[in-house]
Amino acid sequence: MNIVEQVKSKLKQEIAAAVIKANLATEEQIPDVVLEIPKDKVNGDYSTNMAMQLARVAKKAPRMIAEELVAHFDNSKASIEKIEIAGPGFINFYMNNSYLTDLIPAILDAGDQYGETSIGNQEKVQVEFVSANPTGDLHLGHARGAAVGDSLCNVLAKAGYDVSREYYINDAGNQINNLALSVEARYFQALGMDKSMPESGYHGEDIIGIGKKLAEEFGDKFVEMDEKERFDQFREYGMKYEMAKLKQDLEDFRVSFDVWYSETSLYHNGKIDAALQNLRDNGYIYEQDGATWFRSTEFGDDKDRVLIKQDGSYTYLTPDIAYHRDKLERGFEKLINVWGADHHGYIPRMKAAIQALGNNADTLEVEIIQLVHLYKNGEKMKMSKRTGKAVTMRDLVEEVGLDATRYFFAMRSADTHLDFDLDLAVSQSNENPVYYAQYAHARISSILRQAEEQNLAAAAQGDFSVIQSEKEIDVLKKLGEFPEAVGEAAQKRMPHRITNYIFELASVFHSFYNAEKVLDLEQVEKTTARLALIKAVQTTLKNALALIGVSAPEKM
RNA sequence: GCGCCUUUAGCUCAACUGGAUAGAGCAACGGCCUUCGAAGCCGUAGGUUAGAGGUUCGAAUCCUCUAAGGCGCACCA
């Protein structure tokens, strides 16, 4: 807990104590103390709505309650300068903010670790994201999923959760067969022979590339080959090729996974049968019309779902249930799936499965990533995976730049439709929000370089009481909020909160920078203190940017 | 037809999950560089939070209805 969190929690305790002392409510009746930072500074550093919340219990007017509360409040205990009652009954606390300077050595000391909290309590969380079929390039939607999923994992880890990142490889089933047939067609075509694409084949550029590569490497070796054998080889080759590309693309996007989980493996290690048996034992399986059904309606799904088709093969759901069962068997307490909006209809049956296996429904959380629309020259760009005309993640990064792309996706909450304005993201100007934060970091780096040239070093510790101007206090307050911002972003699964925080921190810094000079040879003590302050900002900015996968450049 | 998501300034989005005068960026307008990076800062203007009811001290936020847009609704994956 840093000093800000300590002061806050102290304040909360004192508020609760005052409620009891003033006889406004009993220990059981007292609601959670809500402490907010008012939007406008004239309303104090902190504010509580306790008086309003107690209105019903105490059966009195909020303002009266507030007055009684304040009368019983022990000012001496929590760095309070004054307390005021305002509006409908807000109690506003004006702090003696000198304690905030303790943050500076604390942040410098923590370094990369600043922002870490233990709020996650080492809960074992597994996050599954991207999980795109290895049948073509990752496109725009995957990029958003990758950015959000990765940022979420970073945030969770920072907040003290034990996070595992996982990618589910759909390497079984029809789509892979279609991949093999698509590769086959492209191979023949590369040899100048006529072969039409399968009905639901993949028309992406990359498959054409595979066909060409095969033709160059092996000539017509496969033409005369037994059809079945050729199919198997192309299937294998196509898969490996696609997976390698996919991993590389994700790595280039600064996204890595702890586990790549193969769907096919579930077929080979008996886990599907085990899952089916588990469901059967629990009484949620029945046979009808020659198929095997899962009674998912028991848990609120619209209709029961087929697990084994009439032809004896599994539906997509069946191995997926086995997969989720396996996740739980591996000891994860919380499963978070990041899915595209087109899969949201799938949530009820998956949650039903989780429950049918004997777990709480909210063991599984699904974060839905809404669609991305790309705009260029003010026009919406059409995309379709089938025709292969989708804008790929690689194209996007190439055109926009990695940092800008990651920042752009991390900026917005995941459950809102997103318009990606290419012209804006590409622009190397103040129109592009990513530079705002990076610029602050580069600016600080530049000052620190110059300080070094003048043999001035940031004070490591000691007396920071010279830090007291309004702008400086604003910066300190914002710095102190970081661990809390991380904790909230993690608990609410809203990584975009971090991006908001980054913007706010950069903003208070820029504002300070323009108002006051850091380097001043006339006032060495103040200079070294301020160098330490901006160094703390630099550290915090860097840590925050790292959470959303954006670099913190020292020069731009 | 049913379900989920969305609707906030001209545009793109926030708003600490029920709090005070709804905030940023871009676009518009006006200021600030012979001193640490002007990719910055300061200011002005811009709103019936899609619409109508309801819940309460208090609603962009919760409930109901309506409208618009998106995505789903397989023995596909």
Side-chain angles (χ1 to χ4, degrees), chain A residues 39 47 90 92 175 309-310 344 430 436 439 443 450 488 513 516:
Chain A
K39 284 186 207 114
S47 163
F90 288 102
N92 297 332
Q175 74 277 23
K309 299 183 237 175
Q310 277 179 347
H344 76 259
N430 59 345
Y436 187 78
Y439 186 65
R443 216 176 204 181
Q450 287 175 54
E488 261 199 27
Y513 173 89
E516 299 176 59

Short mmCIF file of all heavy atoms in Angstrom, two decimals, chain A residues 39 47 90 92 175 309-310 344 430 436 439 443 450 488 513 516, chain B residues 3 13-14 16 19-20 36-41 71 75-77:
data_model
loop_
_atom_site.label_atom_id
_atom_site.label_comp_id
_atom_site.label_asym_id
_atom_site.label_seq_id
_atom_site.Cartn_x
_atom_site.Cartn_y
_atom_site.Cartn_z
N LYS A 39 -14.46 15.97 -9.19
CA LYS A 39 -14.00 16.41 -10.50
C LYS A 39 -13.38 17.80 -10.41
O LYS A 39 -12.40 18.10 -11.08
CB LYS A 39 -15.19 16.46 -11.47
CG LYS A 39 -15.61 15.08 -11.94
CD LYS A 39 -16.70 15.19 -13.00
CE LYS A 39 -17.55 13.95 -13.01
NZ LYS A 39 -18.92 14.16 -12.60
N SER A 47 -13.90 13.32 -1.18
CA SER A 47 -15.27 13.65 -0.86
C SER A 47 -16.03 12.35 -0.57
O SER A 47 -15.75 11.32 -1.15
CB SER A 47 -15.88 14.36 -2.07
OG SER A 47 -17.27 14.36 -1.97
N PHE A 90 -22.64 16.50 0.55
CA PHE A 90 -21.28 15.97 0.40
C PHE A 90 -20.40 16.49 1.52
O PHE A 90 -20.53 17.64 1.93
CB PHE A 90 -20.67 16.42 -0.93
CG PHE A 90 -21.26 15.73 -2.12
CD1 PHE A 90 -22.19 16.38 -2.91
CD2 PHE A 90 -20.88 14.45 -2.44
CE1 PHE A 90 -22.74 15.75 -4.01
CE2 PHE A 90 -21.43 13.81 -3.54
CZ PHE A 90 -22.36 14.46 -4.32
N ASN A 92 -16.65 17.30 2.10
CA ASN A 92 -15.42 17.45 1.33
C ASN A 92 -14.21 17.61 2.23
O ASN A 92 -14.23 18.43 3.16
CB ASN A 92 -15.54 18.66 0.40
CG ASN A 92 -16.65 18.47 -0.61
OD1 ASN A 92 -16.97 17.34 -0.98
ND2 ASN A 92 -17.23 19.56 -1.06
N GLN A 175 -12.94 -26.72 -40.81
CA GLN A 175 -12.21 -25.57 -41.35
C GLN A 175 -10.79 -25.95 -41.74
O GLN A 175 -10.23 -25.38 -42.67
CB GLN A 175 -12.24 -24.39 -40.38
CG GLN A 175 -11.37 -24.50 -39.16
CD GLN A 175 -12.04 -25.30 -38.07
OE1 GLN A 175 -12.93 -26.11 -38.33
NE2 GLN A 175 -11.64 -25.10 -36.85
N LYS A 309 -23.38 -35.68 -33.31
CA LYS A 309 -24.30 -35.64 -34.44
C LYS A 309 -24.74 -37.04 -34.84
O LYS A 309 -24.13 -38.03 -34.43
CB LYS A 309 -23.65 -34.95 -35.63
CG LYS A 309 -23.25 -33.52 -35.37
CD LYS A 309 -22.68 -32.90 -36.64
CE LYS A 309 -21.27 -32.39 -36.38
NZ LYS A 309 -20.62 -31.90 -37.61
N GLN A 310 -25.73 -37.09 -35.71
CA GLN A 310 -26.22 -38.39 -36.21
C GLN A 310 -25.11 -39.19 -36.86
O GLN A 310 -25.08 -40.41 -36.77
CB GLN A 310 -27.34 -38.16 -37.22
CG GLN A 310 -28.69 -37.96 -36.57
CD GLN A 310 -29.78 -37.71 -37.60
OE1 GLN A 310 -29.50 -37.47 -38.77
NE2 GLN A 310 -31.02 -37.77 -37.15
N HIS A 344 -21.08 -14.07 -29.47
CA HIS A 344 -21.72 -13.82 -28.18
C HIS A 344 -22.90 -14.75 -27.92
O HIS A 344 -23.23 -15.03 -26.79
CB HIS A 344 -22.14 -12.36 -28.05
CG HIS A 344 -23.36 -12.00 -28.83
ND1 HIS A 344 -23.30 -11.36 -30.04
CD2 HIS A 344 -24.67 -12.22 -28.59
CE1 HIS A 344 -24.53 -11.19 -30.50
NE2 HIS A 344 -25.37 -11.70 -29.65
N ASN A 430 -0.04 16.01 -33.78
CA ASN A 430 -0.76 16.11 -32.51
C ASN A 430 -2.17 15.55 -32.62
O ASN A 430 -2.86 15.41 -31.63
CB ASN A 430 -0.80 17.56 -32.04
CG ASN A 430 -1.47 18.46 -33.06
OD1 ASN A 430 -1.65 18.08 -34.20
ND2 ASN A 430 -1.85 19.64 -32.64
N TYR A 436 0.99 11.91 -27.56
CA TYR A 436 0.82 12.77 -26.40
C TYR A 436 1.54 12.19 -25.18
O TYR A 436 2.27 12.88 -24.48
CB TYR A 436 -0.67 12.93 -26.12
CG TYR A 436 -1.01 13.92 -25.05
CD1 TYR A 436 -0.99 15.29 -25.33
CD2 TYR A 436 -1.37 13.51 -23.78
CE1 TYR A 436 -1.32 16.21 -24.36
CE2 TYR A 436 -1.71 14.42 -22.80
CZ TYR A 436 -1.68 15.77 -23.09
OH TYR A 436 -2.00 16.68 -22.13
N TYR A 439 5.33 11.58 -25.93
CA TYR A 439 6.03 12.86 -25.94
C TYR A 439 6.40 13.28 -24.52
O TYR A 439 7.49 13.80 -24.27
CB TYR A 439 5.16 13.92 -26.61
CG TYR A 439 5.84 15.24 -26.80
CD1 TYR A 439 6.93 15.36 -27.66
CD2 TYR A 439 5.41 16.38 -26.14
CE1 TYR A 439 7.56 16.57 -27.84
CE2 TYR A 439 6.03 17.60 -26.31
CZ TYR A 439 7.11 17.69 -27.16
OH TYR A 439 7.73 18.89 -27.34
N ARG A 443 10.14 13.89 -23.39
CA ARG A 443 10.46 15.21 -22.85
C ARG A 443 11.21 15.08 -21.52
O ARG A 443 12.22 15.74 -21.29
CB ARG A 443 9.15 15.95 -22.62
CG ARG A 443 9.20 17.40 -22.89
CD ARG A 443 7.81 17.98 -22.72
NE ARG A 443 7.69 19.20 -23.49
CZ ARG A 443 6.58 19.94 -23.51
NH1 ARG A 443 5.51 19.55 -22.82
NH2 ARG A 443 6.53 21.05 -24.21
N GLN A 450 19.88 16.45 -20.02
CA GLN A 450 20.53 17.75 -19.85
C GLN A 450 20.99 17.97 -18.43
O GLN A 450 22.02 18.60 -18.18
CB GLN A 450 19.55 18.85 -20.27
CG GLN A 450 19.39 18.88 -21.77
CD GLN A 450 18.35 19.88 -22.20
OE1 GLN A 450 18.44 21.04 -21.82
NE2 GLN A 450 17.37 19.43 -22.95
N GLU A 488 -8.31 -1.27 -10.24
CA GLU A 488 -9.67 -1.13 -10.77
C GLU A 488 -9.78 -1.69 -12.17
O GLU A 488 -10.75 -2.36 -12.52
CB GLU A 488 -10.07 0.34 -10.77
CG GLU A 488 -10.92 0.65 -9.58
CD GLU A 488 -11.71 1.92 -9.78
OE1 GLU A 488 -12.00 2.29 -10.95
OE2 GLU A 488 -12.02 2.52 -8.76
N TYR A 513 5.00 21.24 -16.72
CA TYR A 513 6.18 21.60 -17.49
C TYR A 513 6.07 23.02 -18.06
O TYR A 513 7.04 23.77 -18.08
CB TYR A 513 6.36 20.59 -18.63
CG TYR A 513 7.44 20.95 -19.61
CD1 TYR A 513 8.75 20.54 -19.41
CD2 TYR A 513 7.14 21.71 -20.73
CE1 TYR A 513 9.75 20.89 -20.29
CE2 TYR A 513 8.14 22.08 -21.63
CZ TYR A 513 9.44 21.65 -21.40
OH TYR A 513 10.42 22.01 -22.28
N GLU A 516 6.26 25.65 -14.98
CA GLU A 516 7.44 25.84 -14.14
C GLU A 516 8.66 25.17 -14.74
O GLU A 516 8.57 24.17 -15.42
CB GLU A 516 7.16 25.25 -12.74
CG GLU A 516 5.98 25.96 -12.09
CD GLU A 516 5.62 25.35 -10.76
OE1 GLU A 516 6.51 25.34 -9.90
OE2 GLU A 516 4.48 24.90 -10.60
P G B 3 -36.44 -10.95 -26.33
OP1 G B 3 -36.91 -10.88 -24.92
OP2 G B 3 -36.58 -9.77 -27.20
"O5'" G B 3 -34.91 -11.38 -26.33
"C5'" G B 3 -34.47 -12.47 -25.53
"C4'" G B 3 -33.01 -12.73 -25.78
"O4'" G B 3 -32.82 -13.09 -27.18
"C3'" G B 3 -32.08 -11.54 -25.58
"O3'" G B 3 -31.76 -11.36 -24.22
"C2'" G B 3 -30.88 -11.96 -26.42
"O2'" G B 3 -30.09 -12.92 -25.74
"C1'" G B 3 -31.55 -12.63 -27.61
N9 G B 3 -31.74 -11.70 -28.74
C8 G B 3 -32.91 -11.10 -29.14
N7 G B 3 -32.77 -10.33 -30.19
C5 G B 3 -31.42 -10.44 -30.50
C6 G B 3 -30.67 -9.84 -31.55
O6 G B 3 -31.06 -9.07 -32.43
N1 G B 3 -29.32 -10.21 -31.49
C2 G B 3 -28.79 -11.05 -30.56
N2 G B 3 -27.48 -11.29 -30.65
N3 G B 3 -29.47 -11.62 -29.59
C4 G B 3 -30.78 -11.27 -29.62
P C B 13 -16.26 5.58 -32.00
OP1 C B 13 -16.06 4.18 -32.39
OP2 C B 13 -17.62 6.13 -31.82
"O5'" C B 13 -15.41 5.85 -30.68
"C5'" C B 13 -16.01 5.80 -29.40
"C4'" C B 13 -15.06 6.44 -28.43
"O4'" C B 13 -14.99 7.87 -28.69
"C3'" C B 13 -15.46 6.36 -26.96
"O3'" C B 13 -15.06 5.12 -26.41
"C2'" C B 13 -14.69 7.52 -26.36
"O2'" C B 13 -13.34 7.18 -26.15
"C1'" C B 13 -14.78 8.56 -27.48
N1 C B 13 -15.88 9.51 -27.28
C2 C B 13 -15.73 10.51 -26.32
O2 C B 13 -14.67 10.56 -25.67
N3 C B 13 -16.73 11.40 -26.12
C4 C B 13 -17.83 11.30 -26.85
N4 C B 13 -18.79 12.20 -26.63
C5 C B 13 -18.02 10.30 -27.83
C6 C B 13 -17.03 9.42 -28.01
P A B 14 -15.72 4.59 -25.06
OP1 A B 14 -15.35 3.18 -24.93
OP2 A B 14 -17.13 4.98 -24.98
"O5'" A B 14 -14.90 5.39 -23.95
"C5'" A B 14 -15.52 6.40 -23.23
"C4'" A B 14 -14.55 7.04 -22.29
"O4'" A B 14 -14.44 8.43 -22.67
"C3'" A B 14 -15.04 7.06 -20.84
"O3'" A B 14 -14.58 5.95 -20.12
"C2'" A B 14 -14.44 8.37 -20.32
"O2'" A B 14 -13.07 8.23 -20.01
"C1'" A B 14 -14.59 9.25 -21.55
N9 A B 14 -15.90 9.91 -21.65
C8 A B 14 -16.88 9.69 -22.59
N7 A B 14 -17.94 10.45 -22.45
C5 A B 14 -17.65 11.21 -21.33
C6 A B 14 -18.37 12.21 -20.66
N6 A B 14 -19.57 12.62 -21.03
N1 A B 14 -17.78 12.78 -19.58
C2 A B 14 -16.56 12.36 -19.21
N3 A B 14 -15.78 11.43 -19.76
C4 A B 14 -16.40 10.90 -20.83
P C B 16 -18.03 6.39 -14.05
OP1 C B 16 -18.27 5.35 -15.07
OP2 C B 16 -19.13 7.23 -13.58
"O5'" C B 16 -17.35 5.70 -12.79
"C5'" C B 16 -16.53 4.55 -12.96
"C4'" C B 16 -15.42 4.56 -11.96
"O4'" C B 16 -14.59 5.72 -12.17
"C3'" C B 16 -15.86 4.70 -10.51
"O3'" C B 16 -16.27 3.46 -9.99
"C2'" C B 16 -14.61 5.21 -9.84
"O2'" C B 16 -13.71 4.18 -9.57
"C1'" C B 16 -14.03 6.11 -10.94
N1 C B 16 -14.33 7.53 -10.72
C2 C B 16 -13.61 8.21 -9.73
O2 C B 16 -12.76 7.57 -9.09
N3 C B 16 -13.87 9.51 -9.49
C4 C B 16 -14.81 10.14 -10.21
N4 C B 16 -15.03 11.42 -9.95
C5 C B 16 -15.55 9.48 -11.23
C6 C B 16 -15.28 8.18 -11.44
P G B 19 -22.37 7.75 -9.41
OP1 G B 19 -22.09 7.03 -10.64
OP2 G B 19 -21.32 7.91 -8.39
"O5'" G B 19 -22.92 9.18 -9.79
"C5'" G B 19 -22.03 10.28 -9.77
"C4'" G B 19 -22.75 11.50 -9.24
"O4'" G B 19 -23.69 11.14 -8.21
"C3'" G B 19 -21.79 12.50 -8.61
"O3'" G B 19 -22.30 13.80 -8.87
"C2'" G B 19 -21.91 12.18 -7.12
"O2'" G B 19 -21.59 13.29 -6.32
"C1'" G B 19 -23.39 11.85 -7.02
N9 G B 19 -23.77 11.01 -5.89
C8 G B 19 -23.24 9.81 -5.51
N7 G B 19 -23.86 9.28 -4.48
C5 G B 19 -24.85 10.21 -4.17
C6 G B 19 -25.85 10.18 -3.17
O6 G B 19 -26.07 9.31 -2.32
N1 G B 19 -26.64 11.31 -3.21
C2 G B 19 -26.50 12.33 -4.11
N2 G B 19 -27.37 13.33 -4.00
N3 G B 19 -25.59 12.37 -5.06
C4 G B 19 -24.81 11.28 -5.03
P A B 20 -21.93 14.49 -10.28
OP1 A B 20 -22.86 13.97 -11.31
OP2 A B 20 -20.49 14.51 -10.54
"O5'" A B 20 -22.41 15.96 -9.92
"C5'" A B 20 -23.73 16.20 -9.44
"C4'" A B 20 -23.72 17.47 -8.62
"O4'" A B 20 -23.03 17.22 -7.37
"C3'" A B 20 -23.01 18.63 -9.29
"O3'" A B 20 -23.67 19.83 -8.91
"C2'" A B 20 -21.62 18.61 -8.63
"O2'" A B 20 -20.99 19.86 -8.60
"C1'" A B 20 -21.99 18.16 -7.22
N9 A B 20 -20.88 17.50 -6.51
C8 A B 20 -20.19 16.37 -6.88
N7 A B 20 -19.28 16.01 -6.03
C5 A B 20 -19.36 16.97 -5.03
C6 A B 20 -18.65 17.15 -3.83
N6 A B 20 -17.68 16.34 -3.42
N1 A B 20 -18.98 18.21 -3.06
C2 A B 20 -19.96 19.02 -3.48
N3 A B 20 -20.70 18.95 -4.58
C4 A B 20 -20.35 17.90 -5.32
P C B 36 14.40 26.22 -23.91
OP1 C B 36 14.87 25.44 -25.07
OP2 C B 36 13.05 26.80 -23.90
"O5'" C B 36 14.58 25.35 -22.60
"C5'" C B 36 15.88 24.90 -22.23
"C4'" C B 36 15.80 23.55 -21.58
"O4'" C B 36 15.26 23.70 -20.25
"C3'" C B 36 14.88 22.54 -22.26
"O3'" C B 36 15.59 21.85 -23.28
"C2'" C B 36 14.49 21.60 -21.11
"O2'" C B 36 15.44 20.57 -20.95
"C1'" C B 36 14.57 22.52 -19.88
N1 C B 36 13.26 22.90 -19.36
C2 C B 36 13.07 22.87 -17.97
O2 C B 36 14.00 22.52 -17.26
N3 C B 36 11.87 23.22 -17.46
C4 C B 36 10.90 23.59 -18.28
N4 C B 36 9.74 23.93 -17.73
C5 C B 36 11.06 23.63 -19.71
C6 C B 36 12.25 23.27 -20.20
P G B 37 14.90 20.51 -23.98
OP1 G B 37 14.69 19.54 -22.90
OP2 G B 37 15.72 20.15 -25.14
"O5'" G B 37 13.46 20.96 -24.49
"C5'" G B 37 13.35 21.87 -25.56
"C4'" G B 37 12.26 21.40 -26.48
"O4'" G B 37 12.63 20.10 -27.04
"C3'" G B 37 10.91 21.20 -25.80
"O3'" G B 37 9.88 21.60 -26.70
"C2'" G B 37 10.85 19.70 -25.60
"O2'" G B 37 9.52 19.19 -25.58
"C1'" G B 37 11.55 19.21 -26.86
N9 G B 37 12.08 17.87 -26.72
C8 G B 37 12.89 17.36 -25.77
N7 G B 37 13.18 16.10 -25.93
C5 G B 37 12.49 15.75 -27.08
C6 G B 37 12.41 14.52 -27.76
O6 G B 37 12.95 13.45 -27.47
N1 G B 37 11.59 14.61 -28.88
C2 G B 37 10.95 15.74 -29.30
N2 G B 37 10.22 15.62 -30.41
N3 G B 37 11.02 16.90 -28.68
C4 G B 37 11.80 16.83 -27.59
P A B 38 8.90 22.80 -26.30
OP1 A B 38 9.63 24.08 -26.43
OP2 A B 38 8.29 22.42 -25.01
"O5'" A B 38 7.77 22.78 -27.41
"C5'" A B 38 6.86 21.70 -27.50
"C4'" A B 38 5.95 21.90 -28.70
"O4'" A B 38 5.13 23.08 -28.48
"C3'" A B 38 6.72 22.14 -29.99
"O3'" A B 38 6.01 21.58 -31.08
"C2'" A B 38 6.71 23.66 -30.11
"O2'" A B 38 6.80 24.12 -31.44
"C1'" A B 38 5.34 23.99 -29.52
N9 A B 38 5.28 25.33 -28.97
C8 A B 38 5.84 25.82 -27.82
N7 A B 38 5.62 27.08 -27.61
C5 A B 38 4.86 27.47 -28.70
C6 A B 38 4.31 28.70 -29.08
N6 A B 38 4.44 29.81 -28.36
N1 A B 38 3.62 28.75 -30.23
C2 A B 38 3.49 27.64 -30.94
N3 A B 38 3.96 26.40 -30.70
C4 A B 38 4.64 26.39 -29.55
P A B 39 6.41 20.13 -31.60
OP1 A B 39 7.64 19.71 -30.94
OP2 A B 39 6.32 20.22 -33.06
"O5'" A B 39 5.23 19.21 -31.09
"C5'" A B 39 3.90 19.47 -31.51
"C4'" A B 39 3.08 18.22 -31.35
"O4'" A B 39 3.72 17.16 -32.09
"C3'" A B 39 3.00 17.73 -29.90
"O3'" A B 39 1.75 17.06 -29.70
"C2'" A B 39 4.12 16.71 -29.82
"O2'" A B 39 3.89 15.71 -28.86
"C1'" A B 39 4.04 16.10 -31.21
N9 A B 39 5.31 15.51 -31.64
C8 A B 39 6.58 15.94 -31.40
N7 A B 39 7.50 15.18 -31.91
C5 A B 39 6.78 14.17 -32.55
C6 A B 39 7.16 13.05 -33.28
N6 A B 39 8.41 12.73 -33.52
N1 A B 39 6.18 12.25 -33.75
C2 A B 39 4.91 12.58 -33.51
N3 A B 39 4.42 13.62 -32.84
C4 A B 39 5.42 14.37 -32.38
P G B 40 0.59 17.90 -29.01
OP1 G B 40 -0.40 16.96 -28.46
OP2 G B 40 0.14 18.94 -29.96
"O5'" G B 40 1.33 18.64 -27.82
"C5'" G B 40 1.72 17.90 -26.65
"C4'" G B 40 2.31 18.86 -25.65
"O4'" G B 40 3.31 19.70 -26.30
"C3'" G B 40 1.32 19.88 -25.08
"O3'" G B 40 0.57 19.34 -24.01
"C2'" G B 40 2.26 20.99 -24.63
"O2'" G B 40 2.95 20.63 -23.46
"C1'" G B 40 3.25 21.02 -25.79
N9 G B 40 2.78 21.90 -26.87
C8 G B 40 2.40 21.55 -28.13
N7 G B 40 2.02 22.58 -28.85
C5 G B 40 2.16 23.67 -28.01
C6 G B 40 1.91 25.03 -28.24
O6 G B 40 1.49 25.59 -29.26
N1 G B 40 2.18 25.80 -27.12
C2 G B 40 2.66 25.30 -25.93
N2 G B 40 2.86 26.19 -24.96
N3 G B 40 2.90 24.03 -25.70
C4 G B 40 2.64 23.27 -26.78
P C B 41 -0.90 19.84 -23.72
OP1 C B 41 -1.50 18.96 -22.70
OP2 C B 41 -1.62 20.06 -24.99
"O5'" C B 41 -0.60 21.26 -23.08
"C5'" C B 41 0.07 21.36 -21.84
"C4'" C B 41 0.26 22.81 -21.50
"O4'" C B 41 0.94 23.48 -22.60
"C3'" C B 41 -1.02 23.61 -21.34
"O3'" C B 41 -1.55 23.47 -20.04
"C2'" C B 41 -0.56 25.03 -21.62
"O2'" C B 41 0.12 25.58 -20.51
"C1'" C B 41 0.47 24.80 -22.73
N1 C B 41 -0.11 24.97 -24.07
C2 C B 41 -0.34 26.27 -24.55
O2 C B 41 -0.08 27.22 -23.82
N3 C B 41 -0.86 26.44 -25.79
C4 C B 41 -1.13 25.39 -26.55
N4 C B 41 -1.63 25.60 -27.77
C5 C B 41 -0.91 24.05 -26.08
C6 C B 41 -0.40 23.90 -24.85
P C B 71 -23.70 -6.57 -38.97
OP1 C B 71 -22.64 -6.87 -39.96
OP2 C B 71 -25.11 -6.54 -39.39
"O5'" C B 71 -23.56 -7.57 -37.76
"C5'" C B 71 -22.32 -7.70 -37.08
"C4'" C B 71 -22.49 -8.56 -35.86
"O4'" C B 71 -23.37 -7.91 -34.91
"C3'" C B 71 -23.17 -9.89 -36.11
"O3'" C B 71 -22.29 -10.83 -36.68
"C2'" C B 71 -23.63 -10.25 -34.69
"O2'" C B 71 -22.55 -10.70 -33.91
"C1'" C B 71 -24.09 -8.90 -34.18
N1 C B 71 -25.54 -8.69 -34.39
C2 C B 71 -26.42 -9.22 -33.43
O2 C B 71 -25.95 -9.83 -32.46
N3 C B 71 -27.75 -9.04 -33.59
C4 C B 71 -28.21 -8.38 -34.65
N4 C B 71 -29.53 -8.24 -34.75
C5 C B 71 -27.34 -7.83 -35.64
C6 C B 71 -26.02 -8.01 -35.47
P C B 75 -28.71 -27.77 -34.70
OP1 C B 75 -29.31 -27.16 -35.87
OP2 C B 75 -29.60 -28.39 -33.72
"O5'" C B 75 -27.70 -28.89 -35.16
"C5'" C B 75 -26.60 -29.17 -34.36
"C4'" C B 75 -25.78 -30.21 -35.08
"O4'" C B 75 -26.38 -31.50 -34.79
"C3'" C B 75 -25.78 -30.03 -36.59
"O3'" C B 75 -24.51 -30.43 -37.03
"C2'" C B 75 -26.87 -31.01 -37.06
"O2'" C B 75 -26.59 -31.61 -38.32
"C1'" C B 75 -26.76 -32.12 -36.00
N1 C B 75 -28.00 -32.83 -35.71
C2 C B 75 -28.01 -34.21 -35.93
O2 C B 75 -27.00 -34.76 -36.36
N3 C B 75 -29.14 -34.92 -35.66
C4 C B 75 -30.21 -34.29 -35.19
N4 C B 75 -31.29 -35.03 -34.94
C5 C B 75 -30.23 -32.89 -34.98
C6 C B 75 -29.11 -32.20 -35.25
P C B 76 -23.66 -30.21 -38.13
OP1 C B 76 -24.29 -30.16 -39.46
OP2 C B 76 -22.92 -31.37 -37.72
"O5'" C B 76 -22.66 -28.99 -37.96
"C5'" C B 76 -22.98 -27.65 -38.15
"C4'" C B 76 -21.86 -26.99 -38.93
"O4'" C B 76 -22.27 -25.65 -39.27
"C3'" C B 76 -20.56 -26.82 -38.16
"O3'" C B 76 -19.75 -27.99 -38.20
"C2'" C B 76 -19.93 -25.66 -38.91
"O2'" C B 76 -19.33 -26.10 -40.12
"C1'" C B 76 -21.15 -24.80 -39.25
N1 C B 76 -21.41 -23.72 -38.26
C2 C B 76 -20.92 -22.45 -38.56
O2 C B 76 -20.31 -22.28 -39.61
N3 C B 76 -21.14 -21.44 -37.69
C4 C B 76 -21.80 -21.67 -36.56
N4 C B 76 -21.99 -20.64 -35.74
C5 C B 76 -22.30 -22.96 -36.23
C6 C B 76 -22.07 -23.96 -37.10
P A B 77 -18.86 -28.37 -36.97
OP1 A B 77 -18.17 -29.60 -37.36
OP2 A B 77 -19.63 -28.32 -35.72
"O5'" A B 77 -17.80 -27.19 -36.90
"C5'" A B 77 -16.78 -27.04 -37.89
"C4'" A B 77 -16.12 -25.71 -37.69
"O4'" A B 77 -17.14 -24.68 -37.71
"C3'" A B 77 -15.45 -25.54 -36.34
"O3'" A B 77 -14.14 -26.05 -36.33
"C2'" A B 77 -15.49 -24.03 -36.15
"O2'" A B 77 -14.48 -23.40 -36.89
"C1'" A B 77 -16.84 -23.68 -36.76
N9 A B 77 -17.91 -23.67 -35.74
C8 A B 77 -18.63 -24.72 -35.27
N7 A B 77 -19.51 -24.39 -34.35
C5 A B 77 -19.34 -23.03 -34.21
C6 A B 77 -19.97 -22.07 -33.38
N6 A B 77 -20.94 -22.37 -32.51
N1 A B 77 -19.57 -20.79 -33.47
C2 A B 77 -18.59 -20.50 -34.34
N3 A B 77 -17.93 -21.30 -35.17
C4 A B 77 -18.35 -22.57 -35.05
#
